[in-house]
Each structure stands twice: as C-alpha cells, then as structure tokens.
Amino acid sequence: MSENSETAPRDYSQSNAELAARWKIDVNQDPYSIPLEDIDPAHDDLFAANKTLPYFERLREEDPVHLSDKGPYGRYWSITKYEDIMYVDTHHQIFSSDIRNGGIRLGGLPIEGEPDPLTYLPMFIMEDPPKHDEQRKIVQPMFTSESLSSLEELIRQRAGHILDNLPRNEEFNWVREVSVELTGRTLATLFDVPQEDRHKLIHWSDTVERLGDPEYFETPEEGFKELWTCWEYFDAVWKERAARKEPGSDLISMLVHGESTKNMPPNEYLGNMLLLIVGGNDTTRNSITGGVLALNQFPDEYKKLTDNPDIIPNMVSEIIRWQSPVAHMCRTALEDTDIRGRTIKKGDKVAMWYVSGNRDEEKISRANEFLIDREGARHHLSFGFGIHRCVGNRLGEMQLRILWEEIMKRFRKVDVVGDPKYLRSNFIRGITHLPVILRE
C-alpha cells in the first residue's frame, strides 16, 4: 500500500520530475562495479528497467543485512535472505508496521505532530496489535474456504467470457485485456458494486503506485486528490449499506457493521479501501501477467504444462514466487536488535525484500529457474508470514488456477511477441504492458 507523502524524505519544493532527475542513476551499470557501501537496490528506475535481481544477488552473497543511507529513501536496512526475512516478518513485537512509526514501505518516517489528513491514510496493514488484529478479523470471513468455493463458478464463467472475447491472430496487451479484467471483476463482486465500475477500481489501484511517477502526476499531492475521489465513491456505498434493513455479506457491509471499523474517520476508511483494492488487484494481476511471460521465457516449462495441465495448481505457486508481486515490505525496529551480527538500532527502517528472498539459493534450489513442477512450490515469501500474511492469498491462487485451466482449454499458446513494460515502483513488482498473440 502507498505510504503517505507526509512521511517521505522529500523536498516539497521539487516536483516528481525534478526528484526523478535528482536521483537518476545508470540502470545498466554492473552492480558488481559499485562500491558495496553505495549499493541501494530501492531505486524505482531499477524496477522500471527490470534490473534489480543482480543487485539482490550481490547483497545476498556479500552483505545480506545491508545498510543504505545515501539514496532517495534515506537510511534503511535491506534484508535479502529467506530466513532473515522470515525472522523479521514473524517478530512483530520487535518490528513495527504502524504508520505512526513509518509504515510498511520505503519512504515512511515516524509521524510527529498532527498529520495532514489529505495524505495520512491509516489502514489495518499499517497497524500493530491489537488494532491490526481487530480490523483484519472484520474482513477475514470473506476469504474462508466456504466463501471462496461459492465464488469459484462465477470466476470461471468470467474467465471464460474474457478469454472467448479476446482478439484472434492479432497483437494485444495481455495486462489490459485479461489481467486487470479478471481481478477488476472479482473486486467489484467482493465490494458488491456495479461491474461497470470495475475500471474505477483499477484506476485507483494504479494511482496508488504512481503517486511519485512524473509521467502521471506533477506532485504526489495531485495523486492524493485523485484518491479522494475513491473516498467519495465509497462514502456513498457506505451510506447505502448502512441504510439496508438486512446487513449484506460484501466487504463494505462487513466494515459498516464491524465493531472496530464502523466508526472509522474518512482517511482511515479510504486507507482501508485502498488496501483492499491494491491487495485484491495488483498482486494477482501481476502474477497473471508474470506467469505468461515466464512460460515464454522458459519454453520447456510451457511444454510441461501442455503435456500435463494437471500441474496448474503447483505452477500457480511457482508463478507467485517467480513474480514476487510485492517486492518489499518495511518494518521499524522497536528496540536494538541483531541480525547476522549487524546491529539494527531502535527506530531503524528495515526492508524485507521478498523478491530477493524468493531467489535465495540456500533455501530454494535452482531459485533462478522457473520450474512449474517445483517440489514445495508453496514455500515462498510472496504472501508474507506472521500476523500480516496476505488475507486474500487463497483467492489470488484460485483466480490464477481457474484462469490457466480455462486458457489451456482454448489456446495452444499465449505467445509473447514483444518486450514487456514494467511499473516504476519498488513496492509492487508490476508489468504494465505485455504484447501477446493467441495461438489456437
């Protein structure tokens, strides 16, 4: 989720374009040629160029608990190995997610005084217990096995409809026509809003990750104003749900009637809505796209899939590991603590690089290969661990599984015919454009 710009170490006299120019780097530079103390894997331009993995490879080898303090995100520690990430993620007593301590992504700093309500958007993923647990519990019933099984046939119908209406024998953007279509329709169902409004949900999801992108907004404040149109939309939905005689079973109704959510101020309601939108869209859509790309990059794996479509459930887990759609999550140390002999001081920011831990050869054999029949494929970091483990992980897996089952019924191959374009974000490891042609 997006951190508020109030907490980012930025110069407010500068626009997004000026900041991007100030911190511009040569994305083609060999990371092994950079002095180790100057390595900073968090540059958004590295993610836009898809050049991050060698940086993490070097850090895992030479400095797995690495301090950066010269880049655009200020001082923070990179945690790059699987076991260390697990340790941080499962020790919430030591490592805080609270937005007031700096939140869950790079750029967040402790909040002092009265925050600006325009940009201060608390949400339950950026809370520590007990508030985190109380609010998370409100939406959890939507993601039980029983609830998900009731959605399966609807998702299958929609996946089939999307695939049947794709152009044949001509190039199109898989991201726009398939990935966001399926996740957008599912989100609209979870919120019980009209399907034609799904494009608004995708737009707000995109806006969250583009607040600092000069191609979209001159300043982050411009982007936040756009996000408040999301609040206006869902404020009307809230009022309609509150007025119903019988409580609904959708996510908004759960928030309306939840003891720990029914009295949220507007910025907290907006924060939690954006959390649900991004959590329900960005992660799954980028795995849907990343899987198509990976199968094209590893044609032997595509042949395995063609020969044995029963492998799809296992392949889904491997896709999610391989793509690592959430590149990092941050925590703030609540006390001095040691990891691998490095002393992390109270108040230090710590970045758990899931994208790096999922490539850790010490934990995952042949980690730099995409293997759809990988043994123990579900043992990846992409959903996080501990109290903040992704609440919708089974829904994401189900959408991927169903979509691939329906693809295999219809097409010999989804053929990537050009270079992908990547999201300029070190938080969501996203693909914005993937040109494909369907082969029947």
Side-chain angles (χ1 to χ4, degrees):
M1 271 311 307
S2 177
E3 202 65 55
N4 62 82
S5 64
E6 277 296 297
T7 64
R10 61 172 286 150
D11 179 354
Y12 282 91
S13 66
Q14 291 187 301
S15 67
N16 282 338
E18 288 168 333
L19 279 171
R22 175 186 168 191
W23 294 107
K24 191 172 178 59
I25 59 169
D26 178 5
V27 296
N28 294 311
Q29 185 176 5
D30 178 4
Y32 286 87
S33 71
I34 302 171
L36 186 62
E37 64 272 16
D38 293 338
I39 289 276
D40 184 351
H43 280 273
D44 295 293
D45 290 345
L46 288 174
F47 284 82
N50 194 34
K51 298 284 188 177
T52 57
L53 294 181
Y55 283 78
F56 292 121
E57 181 178 66
R58 184 178 179 197
L59 290 179
R60 287 194 304 273
E61 291 169 359
E62 299 179 28
D63 195 16
V65 181
H66 173 77
L67 180 64
S68 297
D69 57 7
K70 302 185 182 95
Y73 290 97
R75 175 189 169 90
Y76 74 96
W77 294 90
S78 283
I79 311 298
T80 55
K81 290 190 70 66
Y82 188 107
E83 295 291 355
D84 299 334
I85 291 167
M86 283 277 286
Y87 174 77
V88 173
D89 227 355
T90 54
H91 285 76
H92 63 268
Q93 309 91 335
I94 303 173
F95 300 100
S96 170
S97 302
D98 195 321
I99 187 173
R100 288 162 287 274
N101 293 326
I104 61 164
R105 64 184 286 169
L106 289 166
L109 294 172
I111 294 173
E112 298 174 7
E114 199 61 37
D116 181 352
L118 174 71
T119 57
Y120 173 65
L121 306 180
M123 57 194 74
F124 69 78
I125 199 173
M126 286 200 272
E127 299 283 357
D128 292 334
K131 186 170 182 178
H132 164 269
D133 303 354
E134 292 163 354
Q135 291 197 338
R136 178 184 167 109
K137 199 185 299 178
I138 301 302
V139 299
Q140 217 150 8
M142 180 62 78
F143 305 103
T144 61
S145 298
E146 186 180 355
S147 293
L148 295 183
S149 63
S150 68
L151 280 171
E152 177 152 0
E153 190 50 42
L154 179 61
I155 291 172
R156 191 174 299 280
Q157 289 172 8
R158 287 182 178 157
H161 177 77
I162 291 166
L163 296 172
D164 288 339
N165 285 277
L166 293 173
R168 302 298 198 265
N169 303 313
E170 64 179 79
E171 182 181 316
F172 65 92
N173 177 12
W174 181 264
V175 177
R176 186 53 49 192
E177 301 301 327
V178 180
S179 301
V180 300
E181 267 300 303
L182 185 61
T183 57
R185 289 173 192 231
T186 302
L187 268 180
T189 296
L190 296 180
F191 297 143
D192 190 20
V193 298
Q195 281 296 316
E196 56 266 30
D197 289 348
R198 67 187 182 276
H199 304 294
K200 295 178 182 177
L201 305 178
I202 299 303
H203 168 67
W204 291 320
S205 183
D206 289 344
T207 297
V208 167
E209 282 313 304
R210 289 168 170 164
L211 291 172
D213 190 332
E215 290 189 18
Y216 292 89
F217 298 108
E218 189 173 330
T219 64
E221 291 75 14
E222 270 186 26
F224 275 103
K225 286 174 184 171
E226 183 61 31
L227 291 179
W228 278 94
T229 65
C230 177
W231 175 82
E232 290 172 7
Y233 177 91
F234 280 106
D235 182 51
V237 177
W238 179 286
K239 287 169 179 166
E240 184 269 324
R241 299 298 144 84
R244 286 183 181 179
K245 290 180 180 175
E246 292 295 323
S249 58
D250 60 279
L251 282 171
I252 315 295
S253 295
M254 290 176 178
L255 294 174
V256 166
H257 296 287
E259 198 57 42
S260 62
T261 52
K262 63 184 182 182
N263 295 315
M264 291 185 290
N267 60 336
E268 186 174 5
Y269 179 36
L270 175 58
N272 276 318
M273 287 312 305
L274 293 174
L275 168 61
L276 294 169
I277 290 169
V278 172
N281 168 51
D282 276 34
T283 51
T284 304
R285 87 191 233 190
N286 288 306
S287 295
I288 288 171
T289 308
V292 170
L293 181 58
L295 286 165
N296 277 264
Q297 292 170 330
F298 292 83
D300 289 349
E301 300 306 300
Y302 214 140
K303 185 173 188 313
K304 282 183 194 173
L305 173 61
T306 304
D307 291 346
N308 178 23
D310 290 343
I311 208 168
I312 287 172
N314 199 77
M315 179 183 79
V316 163
S317 293
E318 177 68 349
I319 287 172
I320 294 167
R321 176 194 77 87
W322 182 255
Q323 181 60 27
S324 299
V326 177
H328 83 265
M329 282 277 181
C330 277
R331 302 288 186 260
T332 302
L334 296 176
E335 59 189 61
D336 290 2
T337 189
D338 281 13
I339 301 178
R340 288 185 188 261
R342 305 298 300 271
T343 299
I344 295 169
K345 294 284 190 183
K346 178 181 179 180
D348 278 356
K349 193 88 170 180
V350 173
M352 300 177 287
W353 289 106
Y354 296 141
V355 63
S356 176
N358 278 337
R359 296 291 201 282
D360 186 350
E361 294 275 358
E362 278 189 17
K363 183 68 179 181
I364 300 169
S365 175
R366 299 167 68 186
N368 287 307
E369 296 176 53
F370 177 72
L371 303 171
I372 67 171
D373 54 357
R374 179 182 296 282
E375 197 173 325
R378 289 199 90 237
H379 298 153
H380 57 74
L381 295 166
S382 298
F383 293 131
F385 281 90
I387 64 169
H388 291 285
R389 183 169 172 81
C390 175
V391 70
N393 66 85
R394 295 288 184 180
L395 176 59
E397 289 175 330
M398 187 170 81
Q399 289 182 88
L400 270 170
R401 172 179 59 79
I402 290 170
L403 181 64
W404 273 105
E405 287 169 355
E406 296 305 310
I407 289 170
M408 296 310 294
K409 292 175 186 175
R410 291 166 172 79
F411 308 117
R412 178 171 50 86
K413 189 180 182 192
V414 182
D415 199 5
V416 175
V417 293
D419 293 333
K421 292 179 183 173
Y422 294 90
L423 184 65
R424 187 182 179 274
S425 167
N426 63 24
F427 187 64
I428 296 294
R429 190 163 179 254
I431 302 169
T432 61
H433 189 90
L434 188 70
V436 303
I437 293 177
L438 299 174
R439 312 294 183 189
E440 295 182 287

